């Protein structure tokens, strides 16, 4: 219904105020339908699929990439992209693990330092994107290599084991009805709700959308675009730090090899969630749906006994379809 | 506008239907008879594409068919993808497998996930390489990698017949047990220890042909008089051969390797590689599936270490080191 309200002003294309509400209906409807249909399909094809325990498992499995994808969503909304998030997370994780295990600092301080360093990586990305300026693709490609190398240098390629409880606590469970849920899953859901609020209900969120739609218009309307961009990348970096803690709690170790394909997986979640790669359109809650689509297919196919390579195949098909939908709806908007 | 909403929904529905039918196709073979009776066995390899793991899967599929068991497979996205393997373990436990066969990507990092699977009553067998600690799995079915290295070390020593050696070692990667064991085995077989002055160059290759070539090129810059090359596997050996050939050194340098892949064995036949230690991924998987089925039918759990065998393959036997020829090697190769 909100659609018809914006229809009379076609020249305003996508940056009208009712945009926020329009987004709620458009880009997430398709992904949500896809997710539900997939769930129905797997329920009919696997006895084990439809259970609280299994859904809890799927959320645990997507929480790391899902959290990375929150940061990725913020950056893609500004028409940027982040290829370095998996590598930044890996560095944050190994830093937390080593500092805590070596006993150099108390575990909680190790976590705080890990979060700070991840945020700093994000800030450097943001500064390079705005100050010089360089394309986000190139900046984050470089940062991917830098963070990857630092991870391996700092860890000496050793997996860190014997983590203190502070680092693995989020992997422990509490009960909701008859189902065990990890604290990490709860943190992930809380993050999604928080960023949904931040983007949808605050001026900062509106500015992010405006920046993605047209940086020039955003600047002329008085938004301090440089500061905003650096802020977005820094917040994304902080979110990657949280993902690092979630990862460490899930695997129970500090793993220098972690996160190598997570940059692409996080982009997949964002795209499947209906957020436009061209910026300015999308919802962070859609990203959760996108991450869940991948998780549901991986879990469901495994329960059916289908080799995991089919999951990759299907993910590829879905990504292309999702972008096709985005393009078609863009053309109609014009 | 409502059009675009409808189009979005319709496209998404199409997407799901298309993928669902795809999944259906893939599922037919594997899920057949998956009602209740069939014993479920899971196989988790490091990657889907490495010929070694393809052969391993082949052995598991054949054994599962023969035993009437239902096999599900999964793999990491890349060598070292610990998180991917953890996800696969969880999903297989949820699917109700009786046993999991796994080639751990990270011998330490996989341990907590395996502990969870075992406490859920699933028997876990490591294939190809052990976990750290080794008792994190019920059993290990693998090549004795130290022995594989020793065989080519002894062979190289005999083939050099007392000539002073200048050795280059093209290794795997830091901190990976398989690579360390083969390297140490080679030195032991050659009768030297780490730090021996005859080892003039050591480089990591990740077991990759292109990186093996680069490593050898660099070694030749550093020590042009290299005359023995130990390689972690045959792709690295073939890379080394290419580098040596570019320098016209391919005839007077002895290359030895480990693995016994079909490409590698053919390279032994054509004389590019002098000798290789052949291992048997098919056997590892076959015996693993059988052990899970036996356990599920009320037998005891598999335990300890089962050596799936290693054979020195060469057409130029040297100094009483026991070996088979490439005809045997090609019959038993993988890939």
């Amino acid at each position: 219904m909100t659609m018809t309200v914006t229809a009379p002003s076609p020249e305003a294309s996508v940056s009208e105020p009712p945009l926020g509400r329009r987004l709620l209906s458009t880009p997430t409807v398709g992904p949500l339908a896809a997710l539900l249909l997939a769930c129905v399909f797997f329920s009919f094809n696997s006895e084990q699929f439809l259970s609280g325990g299994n859904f809890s498992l799927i959320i645990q499995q997507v929480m790391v990439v899902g959290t990375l994808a929150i940061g990725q969503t913020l950056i893609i909304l500004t028409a940027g992209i982040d290829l370095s998030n998996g590598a930044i997370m890996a560095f944050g994780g190994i830093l937390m693990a080593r500092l805590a295990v070596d006993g150099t600092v108390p575990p909680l301080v190790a976590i705080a330092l890990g979060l700070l360093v991840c945020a700093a990586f994000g800030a450097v990305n943001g500064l390079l994107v705005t100050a010089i300026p360089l394309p986000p693709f190139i900046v984050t490609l470089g940062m991917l290599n830098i963070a990857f190398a630092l991870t391996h240098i700092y860890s000496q390629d050793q997996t860190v084991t014997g983590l203190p409880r502070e680092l693995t606590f989020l992997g422990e469970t509490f009960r909701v009805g008859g189902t065990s849920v990890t604290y990490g899953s709860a943190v992930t859901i809380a993050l999604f709700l928080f960023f949904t609020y931040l983007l949808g209900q605050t001026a900062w969120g509106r500015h992010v959308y405006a920046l993605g739609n047209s940086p020039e218009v955003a600047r002329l309307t008085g938004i301090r675009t440089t500061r905003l961009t650096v802020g977005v990348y820094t917040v994304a970096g902080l979110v990657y730090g949280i993902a690092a803690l979630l990862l460490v709690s899930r695997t129970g170790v500090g793993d220098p090899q972690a996160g190598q394909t997570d940059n692409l997986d996080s982009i997949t979640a964002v795209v499947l969630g209906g957020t436009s790669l061209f910026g300015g359109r999308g919802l962070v809650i859609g990203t959760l749906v996108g991450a869940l689509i991948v998780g549901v297919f991986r879990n469901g196919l495994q329960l059916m006994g289908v080799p995991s390579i089919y999951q990759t195949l299907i993910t590829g098909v879905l990504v292309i379809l999702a972008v096709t939908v985005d393009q078609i709806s863009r053309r109609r908007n014009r | 506008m409502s059009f675009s909403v409808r189009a979005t929904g319709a496209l998404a529905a199409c997407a799901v239907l298309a993928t669902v039918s795809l999944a259906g196709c893939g599922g037919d073979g594997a899920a057949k008879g998956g009602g209740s009776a069939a014993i479920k066995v899971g196989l988790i390899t490091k990657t889907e594409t490495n010929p070694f793991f393809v052969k391993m899967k082949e052995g598991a599929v054949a054994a599962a068919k023969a035993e009437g068991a239902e096999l599900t497979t999964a793999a990491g996205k890349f060598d070292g993808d610990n998180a991917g393997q953890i996800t696969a373990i969880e999903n297989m436990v949820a699917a109700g497998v009786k046993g999991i066969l796994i080639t751990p990507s990270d011998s330490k990092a996989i341990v907590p996930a395996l502990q969870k699977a075992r406490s859920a009553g699933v028997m876990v067998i490591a294939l190809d390489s052990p976990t750290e600690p080794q008792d994190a799995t019920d059993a290990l079915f693998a090549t004795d990698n130290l022995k594989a290295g020793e065989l080519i070390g002894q062979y190289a020593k005999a083939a050099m017949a007392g000539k002073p050696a200048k050795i280059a070692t093209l290794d795997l990667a830091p901190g990976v047990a398989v690579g360390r064991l083969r390297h140490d085995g080679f030195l032991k077989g050659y009768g030297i220890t780490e730090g021996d002055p005859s080892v003039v160059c050591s480089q990591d290759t990740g077991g990759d042909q292109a990186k093996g070539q680069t490593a050898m090129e660099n070694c030749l810059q550093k020590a042009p008089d290299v005359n023995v090359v130990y390689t972690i596997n045959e792709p690295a050996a073939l890379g080394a051969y290419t580098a040596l050939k570019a320098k016209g050194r391919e005839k007077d340098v002895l290359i030895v390797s480990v693995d016994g892949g079909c490409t590698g064995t053919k390279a032994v036949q054509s004389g590019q590689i002098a000798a290789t230690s052949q291992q048997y991924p098919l056997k590892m998987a076959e015996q693993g599936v059988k052990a899970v089925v036996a356990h599920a039918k009320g037998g005891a759990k598999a335990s300890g270490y089962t050596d799936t065998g290693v054979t020195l393959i060469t057409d130029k036997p040297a100094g009483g080191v026991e070996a088979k020829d490439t005809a045997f090697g090609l019959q038993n190769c993988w890939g």
Side-chain angles (χ1 to χ4, degrees):
Chain A
M1 284 137 279
T2 44
M3 309 288 123
T4 44
V5 179
T6 50
S9 56
E11 81 285 350
S13 69
V14 283
S15 56
E16 280 290 290
L19 179 72
R21 264 185 291 160
R22 209 176 66 199
L23 284 167
L24 260 176
S25 38
T26 331
T28 315
V29 167
L32 202 57
L35 178 63
L36 291 176
L37 280 173
C39 286
V40 170
F41 173 76
F42 286 121
S43 303
F44 279 112
N45 282 279
S46 161
E47 300 154 29
Q48 300 96 345
F49 181 79
L50 199 62
S51 74
N54 195 47
F55 285 137
S56 169
L57 191 60
I58 292 171
I59 295 173
Q60 283 172 48
Q61 290 173 348
V62 303
M63 70 182 181
V64 173
V65 166
T67 301
L68 283 178
I70 293 175
Q72 187 74 264
T73 310
L74 294 177
I75 290 172
I76 287 179
L77 281 176
T78 69
I81 195 137
D82 192 348
L83 299 178
S84 63
N85 58 8
I88 292 174
M89 172 185 72
F91 186 74
I94 206 85
L95 187 74
M96 291 177 191
R98 281 204 64 172
L99 288 178
V101 168
D102 294 352
T104 325
V105 296
L108 288 177
V109 177
I111 292 171
L113 283 173
L115 293 174
L116 270 177
V117 166
C118 288
F121 267 108
V124 172
N125 274 340
L127 285 170
L128 292 170
V129 165
T130 50
I132 297 193
L134 297 170
F137 188 94
I138 301 301
V139 168
T140 59
L141 180 65
M143 196 56 79
L144 159 69
N145 287 295
I146 293 167
F148 178 85
L150 289 177
T151 303
H152 285 259
I153 293 165
Y154 177 67
S155 69
Q156 297 170 317
D157 281 314
Q158 297 295 309
T159 302
V160 184
T161 54
L163 303 185
R165 184 158 176 265
E166 286 87 343
L167 268 72
T168 57
F169 169 76
L170 291 175
E172 292 173 16
T173 56
F174 62 97
R175 295 191 82 78
V176 176
T179 304
S180 296
V181 181
T182 63
Y183 290 102
S185 304
V187 167
T188 306
I189 303 286
L191 276 175
F192 271 102
L193 293 177
F194 174 72
F195 278 97
T196 298
Y197 168 79
L198 203 65
L199 281 174
Q201 307 296 324
T202 66
W204 188 80
R206 302 250 152 176
H207 291 172
V208 170
Y209 282 109
L211 179 66
N213 273 317
S214 169
E216 192 54 23
V217 172
R219 196 180 58 79
L220 292 173
T221 52
I223 297 170
R224 296 162 81 173
T225 53
T226 301
R227 211 169 91 170
L228 181 64
T229 307
V230 176
V232 164
Y233 279 86
T234 309
V235 169
L238 183 64
V239 172
Y240 304 152
I242 299 172
L245 185 59
L246 291 170
L247 174 79
V248 167
S249 74
R250 172 165 162 71
T251 58
V253 294
D255 176 9
Q257 302 243 51
Q260 285 188 29
T261 61
D262 287 5
N263 51 358
L264 299 181
D265 293 347
S266 70
I267 296 170
T268 302
V270 173
V271 169
L272 285 183
T275 292
S276 170
L277 276 175
F278 308 99
R281 272 161 47 97
L283 285 176
V284 75
I285 209 77
T287 299
L288 177 62
V289 174
L292 284 173
I293 289 175
V294 176
V296 161
F297 269 102
R298 187 169 50 200
N299 172 273
L301 293 180
Q302 195 68 65
L303 292 180
M304 284 172 63
V306 180
S308 53
I309 196 77
Y310 284 92
Q311 176 230 327
T312 311
L313 180 73
I314 288 169
T315 308
V317 172
L318 285 177
V319 164
I320 291 175
L321 278 169
V323 178
T324 308
V325 169
D326 178 43
Q327 281 289 16
I328 290 172
S329 65
R330 264 182 174 250
R331 222 167 284 154
R332 283 184 190 278
N333 277 338
R334 238 169 241 149
Chain B
M1 283 322 292
S2 59
F3 252 117
S4 87
V5 176
R6 229 174 278 160
T8 310
L11 261 172
C14 289
V16 170
L17 287 179
T19 50
V20 154
S21 51
L22 268 176
C25 300
D28 272 354
K32 200 173 284 173
S36 53
I39 295 162
K40 288 185 180 177
V41 184
L43 171 69
I44 304 171
T45 50
K46 290 187 192 178
T47 64
E48 298 271 4
T49 47
N50 181 324
F52 186 83
F53 300 128
V54 172
K55 196 69 181 183
M56 190 175 262
K57 200 154 131 185
E58 220 177 279
V61 168
K65 205 171 173 189
E67 301 280 333
E70 186 186 321
L71 180 77
T72 68
T73 61
K77 285 188 184 157
F78 55 92
D79 199 334
D81 182 11
N82 186 54
Q85 289 199 325
I86 291 177
T87 300
I89 292 169
E90 291 170 345
N91 287 340
M92 283 182 180
V93 171
V97 294
K98 293 288 177 199
I100 290 175
L101 314 171
I102 183 167
T103 56
S105 261
D106 184 319
S107 54
K108 282 185 200 164
I110 199 71
V111 167
L114 291 179
Q115 271 165 354
K116 265 190 221 161
R118 288 176 76 191
S119 60
V122 175
M123 180 165 85
V124 177
I125 298 176
L127 301 184
D128 182 46
S129 51
T131 50
E132 289 176 64
Q134 197 174 313
D135 64 9
T137 58
D138 290 291
L140 167 67
F141 291 8
T143 308
D144 183 341
N145 280 298
L146 189 78
K147 190 178 164 201
E150 257 183 273
L151 287 175
I152 53 171
Q154 287 166 358
Y155 173 85
K157 177 85 181 168
M160 287 300 281
K163 260 194 293 176
K166 298 279 183 185
I167 302 169
T169 68
L170 302 190
D171 299 311
L172 187 59
V176 183
V178 181
R180 200 176 55 236
L181 285 167
R182 289 181 186 177
H183 175 99
D184 292 351
F186 170 80
L187 297 183
K188 191 175 165 202
Y190 206 95
I192 53 180
T193 52
E194 194 66 57
D196 190 277
S198 63
V199 179
V200 291
C201 185
S202 287
Q203 296 240 326
D204 289 334
T205 65
D208 177 81
Q209 181 154 349
K211 286 183 193 144
Q213 184 179 339
T214 308
M216 191 70 231
E217 286 162 356
N218 292 339
C219 274
L220 284 170
Q221 288 299 318
K222 186 181 169 199
D225 54 347
V226 165
N227 55 14
V228 175
V229 181
Y230 153 84
T231 56
I232 176 68
N233 65 4
E234 291 132 8
L238 289 169
Y241 179 82
T242 309
L244 287 164
K245 198 172 176 199
K247 291 264 179 191
R249 295 282 321 277
E250 78 274 18
K251 295 271 187 277
D252 51 273
V253 176
L254 185 81
I255 304 177
V256 291
S257 193
V258 181
D259 251 3
C262 292
T263 310
T265 310
K266 279 181 200 138
V268 175
Q269 193 179 34
S270 68
Q272 295 174 314
I273 302 171
T276 194
S277 286
Q278 185 169 52
Q279 51 173 348
Y280 303 100
L282 199 133
K283 271 192 205 167
M284 296 171 193
E286 214 173 63
Q287 295 178 12
V289 171
K290 282 182 184 159
V292 172
V293 172
H295 171 61
K297 285 185 175 162
K301 272 191 181 176
S303 65
Y305 165 60
T306 303
D307 185 351
T308 50
V310 58
T311 314
L312 185 71
I313 303 289
T314 182
D315 284 337
K316 291 175 258 174
V321 187
E322 199 181 313
K324 301 255 194 207
D325 63 10
T326 52
F328 173 89
L330 286 171
Q331 267 169 24
N332 293 282
C333 69
W334 45 269

